[in-house]
């Protein structure tokens, strides 16, 4: 009889028993959760909240940045592409760092970097210096979300994983809402430098909270020491995570679902609505806000559904991709000069589901990996959507310049990446499902034979 594998308990809700529908089984070694967990984890979420404000600040300042630095669409897209390139490239190193150093240290480094990047962006006198500031911001931002996911697994029972992850994403979207509503108004009222420098103060506040109050895990729930052996350890962590079909499926789910909304909110949504659809900046801002509000509402629903019905993960993800693709096609192919408002509202409401759908990727990677690989597996998964976003941001900028600002052609690049992602999801789904069933059977057997 084989022994319990490292990921068995996690897959079974931390109980050594199958989680089933809405299972409340808890393994004695699971973290207790409770108010203390919410308070400590909330500090980590606040860090992520501020990071998202800084990450998405360019989305409401894209046209201002083009005027300030005198750049075209391709050069403007380079801001976000470089930021996402750094973010995506940092995901696996950050995952390894979180597994090795713990959450508090990595989050602290991240806060320092993204605050310095936001402050540098405020005072940059040239396009080159502004690019360097966004790269620094992207480096710090890259350290936040994986750390918050790891913090959740250390403070809450495993069965709460889907809800904890979705709620983290929801709070992140609240940061996007602050960018859309507050920072946009500040740019108009006080100007570029004061708006970006003032927002950087939020980074100082969360750094103080983190240093004073955040802990990696509850007392008495210290993780077992795991040997780290330099480059050999790194190779083993990455290779072992990648070998799991659930990790790869999680990456492609994240890749396929996240990027349409990310591209829209991060840079190209406002120019598309103003220049291609003829809306005022105020009306365009309201539609961007709708994307964020929809994301928050859908995130609550998706988190509850996945927590209760594990088999709903893939239908939710693919359904979101299909609906998003359909509404983008209808908007871009509309025969008139501008798509009607009801269609733009529908598009923005559905784009709001992209973020929650991307979180489902972590629900494939999480049960496929033992606790000591959670950071690495999350980093691999999190790369997916940001690589897709970076690619699409670049493609849209290049196509806009090549076609004389033809947004229909430029945004058609969305369909290419969606098709690629869906093909990979369909290729991997059977292997990942079979592996999960094997782990579930193993956990049942071990729960019966392990003496109490």
């Amino acid at each position: 009889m084989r022994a319990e594998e490292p990921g068995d308990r996690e897959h079974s809700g931390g109980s050594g028993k199958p989680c089933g529908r809405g299972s409340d089984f808890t393994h004695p070694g699971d973290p207790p959760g409770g108010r203390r967990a919410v308070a400590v984890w909330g500090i980590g979420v606040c860090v992520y909240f501020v990071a998202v404000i800084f990450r998405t600040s360019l989305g409401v300042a894209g046209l201002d940045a083009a005027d300030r630095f005198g750049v075209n669409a391709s050069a403007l897209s380079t801001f976000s592409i470089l930021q996402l390139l750094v973010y995506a490239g940092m995901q696996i190193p950050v995952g390894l760092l979180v597994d090795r150093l713990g959450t508090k240290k990595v989050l602290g480094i991240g806060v320092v970097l993204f605050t310095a990047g936001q402050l540098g962006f405020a005072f940059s006198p040239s396009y080159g210096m502004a690019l360097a500031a966004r790269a620094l911001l992207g480096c710090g931002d890259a350290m936040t979300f994986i750390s918050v996911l790891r913090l959740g697994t250390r403070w809450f029972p495993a069965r709460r994983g889907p809800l904890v992850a979705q709620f983290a994403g929801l709070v992140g979207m609240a940061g996007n809402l602050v960018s859309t509503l507050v920072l946009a108004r500040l740019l108009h009222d006080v100007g570029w430098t004061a708006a970006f420098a003032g927002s950087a103060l939020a980074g100082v506040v969360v750094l103080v909270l983190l240093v004073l109050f955040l802990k990696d895990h509850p007392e008495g729930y210290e993780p077992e020491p795991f040997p780290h052996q330099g480059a050999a350890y790194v190779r083993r962590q990455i290779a072992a995570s990648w070998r799991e079909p659930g990790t790869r499926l999680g990456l492609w789910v994240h890749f396929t679902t996240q990027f349409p909304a990310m591209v829209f909110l991060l840079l190209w949504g406002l120019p598309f609505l103003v220049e291609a659809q003829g809306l005022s900046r105020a009306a365009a801002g309201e539609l961007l806000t709708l994307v964020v509000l929809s994301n928050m509402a859908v995130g609550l629903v998706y988190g509850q559904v996945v927590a209760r019905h594990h088999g709903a993960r893939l239908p939710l993800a693919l359904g979101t991709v299909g609906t998003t693709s359909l509404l983008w096609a209808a908007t871009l192919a509309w025969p008139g000069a501008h798509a009607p408002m009801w269609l733009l509202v529908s598009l923005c409401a559905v784009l709001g589901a992209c973020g929650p759908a991307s979180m489902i990727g972590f629900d494939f990677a999480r049960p496929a990996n033992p606790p000591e690989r959670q950071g690495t597996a999350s980093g691999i998964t999190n790369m997916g959507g940001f690589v897709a976003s970076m690619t699409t941001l670049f493609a849209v900028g290049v196509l806009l310049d090549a076609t004389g600002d033809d947004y229909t052609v430029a945004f058609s690049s969305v369909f290419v990446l969606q098709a690629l992602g869906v093909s990979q999801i369909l290729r991997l789904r059977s292997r990942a499902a079979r592996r999960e069933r094997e782990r579930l059977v193993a956990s049942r057997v071990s729960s019966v034979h392990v003496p109490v």
Side-chain angles (χ1 to χ4, degrees):
M1 190 65 61
R2 84 164 175 80
E4 179 179 349
E5 289 191 13
D8 292 340
R9 288 180 177 176
E10 178 142 347
H11 177 70
S12 62
S15 64
K17 299 180 182 181
C19 57
R21 291 177 55 179
S23 171
D24 287 327
F25 290 120
T26 303
H27 189 270
D30 258 0
R35 293 182 180 178
R36 171 71 170 160
V38 172
V40 174
W41 181 73
I43 295 171
V45 171
C46 286
V47 173
Y48 178 56
F49 172 76
V50 174
V52 173
I53 293 176
F54 292 0
R55 178 200 304 169
T56 58
S57 57
L58 188 61
V60 297
L63 297 177
D64 300 270
D67 293 338
R68 179 180 177 86
F69 299 112
V71 295
N72 60 14
S74 296
L76 181 61
S77 67
T78 303
F79 277 123
S80 295
I81 291 167
L82 178 61
Q83 183 179 330
L84 292 184
L85 178 64
V86 172
Y87 187 105
M90 287 288 293
Q91 289 309 292
I92 292 178
V94 168
L96 292 164
L97 282 174
V98 171
D99 285 338
R100 183 165 186 172
L101 300 179
T103 301
K104 185 170 184 174
K105 291 180 181 178
V106 177
L107 270 181
I109 296 170
V111 174
V112 171
L113 292 178
F114 69 61
T115 302
Q118 185 79 341
L119 194 62
F121 198 56
F123 293 100
S124 294
S126 65
Y127 176 69
M129 290 188 67
L131 277 177
R134 294 309 285 187
L136 189 63
L137 192 156
C139 186
D141 182 19
M143 299 183 175
T144 58
F145 187 65
I146 293 175
S147 298
V148 171
L149 288 180
R150 174 61 174 265
L151 195 65
T153 63
R154 291 301 187 196
W155 280 89
F156 293 96
R159 70 179 187 277
R160 303 297 184 196
L163 283 176
V164 168
Q166 286 287 356
F167 193 77
L170 186 152
V171 173
M173 289 309 297
N176 203 324
L177 190 63
V178 170
S179 288
T180 304
L181 297 178
V182 179
L183 190 59
R185 181 173 293 276
L186 283 174
L187 279 168
H188 180 267
D189 292 343
V190 302
W192 179 281
T193 300
F196 280 98
S199 65
L201 293 175
V204 178
V205 173
V206 294
L207 179 60
V208 172
L209 292 175
L210 184 152
V211 170
L212 294 179
F213 301 113
L214 191 137
K215 294 184 65 177
D216 282 345
H217 48 73
E219 293 182 9
Y221 290 86
E222 292 83 359
E224 294 182 6
F226 189 76
H228 304 285
Q229 301 173 0
Y233 160 76
V234 171
R235 288 194 298 270
R236 282 198 307 271
Q237 287 285 88
I238 295 173
S241 296
W242 185 255
R243 278 197 300 267
E244 291 292 344
T247 304
R248 283 175 279 144
L249 179 59
L251 179 147
W252 284 107
V253 168
H254 200 269
F255 177 100
T256 313
T257 52
Q258 187 203 47
F259 79 93
M262 178 69 72
V263 168
F264 199 79
L265 289 171
L266 200 60
L267 184 61
W268 292 121
L270 187 69
F272 169 74
L273 294 171
V274 172
E275 296 177 353
Q277 298 301 321
L279 300 182
S280 66
R281 285 203 182 198
E286 291 173 358
L287 287 178
L288 293 179
T289 303
L290 174 61
V291 177
V292 177
L293 293 176
S294 172
N295 183 297
M296 297 170 73
V298 174
L300 291 175
V301 175
Y302 278 18
Q304 293 281 352
V305 171
V306 172
R308 287 168 170 75
H309 307 281
H310 218 47
R313 292 171 298 170
L314 210 53
L316 284 176
L318 292 176
T320 301
V321 173
T323 308
T324 303
S325 180
L326 179 64
L327 284 171
W328 258 124
T331 301
L332 297 177
W334 191 263
H338 306 304
M341 181 58 73
W342 65 263
L343 183 54
L344 294 176
V345 168
S346 299
L347 172 65
C348 290
V350 169
L351 285 175
C354 291
S358 73
M359 299 301 297
I360 295 173
F362 297 100
D363 293 317
F364 286 106
R366 187 184 304 111
N369 293 272
E372 64 269 17
R373 284 207 312 263
Q374 287 297 308
T376 306
S378 295
I380 292 172
T381 300
N382 207 30
M383 282 180 61
F386 289 93
V387 169
S389 299
M390 177 180 60
T391 303
T392 310
L393 283 167
F394 177 74
V396 170
V398 169
L399 290 171
L400 284 175
D401 285 339
T403 60
D405 293 338
D406 188 331
Y407 280 90
T408 299
V409 173
F411 273 109
S412 294
S413 57
V414 169
F415 306 123
V416 177
L417 272 75
Q418 285 182 323
L420 172 62
V422 168
S423 69
Q424 294 301 311
I425 290 171
L426 296 178
R427 182 178 67 86
L428 288 164
R429 60 177 179 171
S430 297
R431 270 180 275 177
R434 183 169 60 251
R435 180 65 171 148
E436 283 199 0
R437 286 195 298 268
E438 291 172 357
R439 287 184 179 276
L440 186 56
V441 170
S443 68
R444 285 173 173 167
V445 171
S446 62
S447 68
V448 171
H449 289 87
V450 173
V452 178

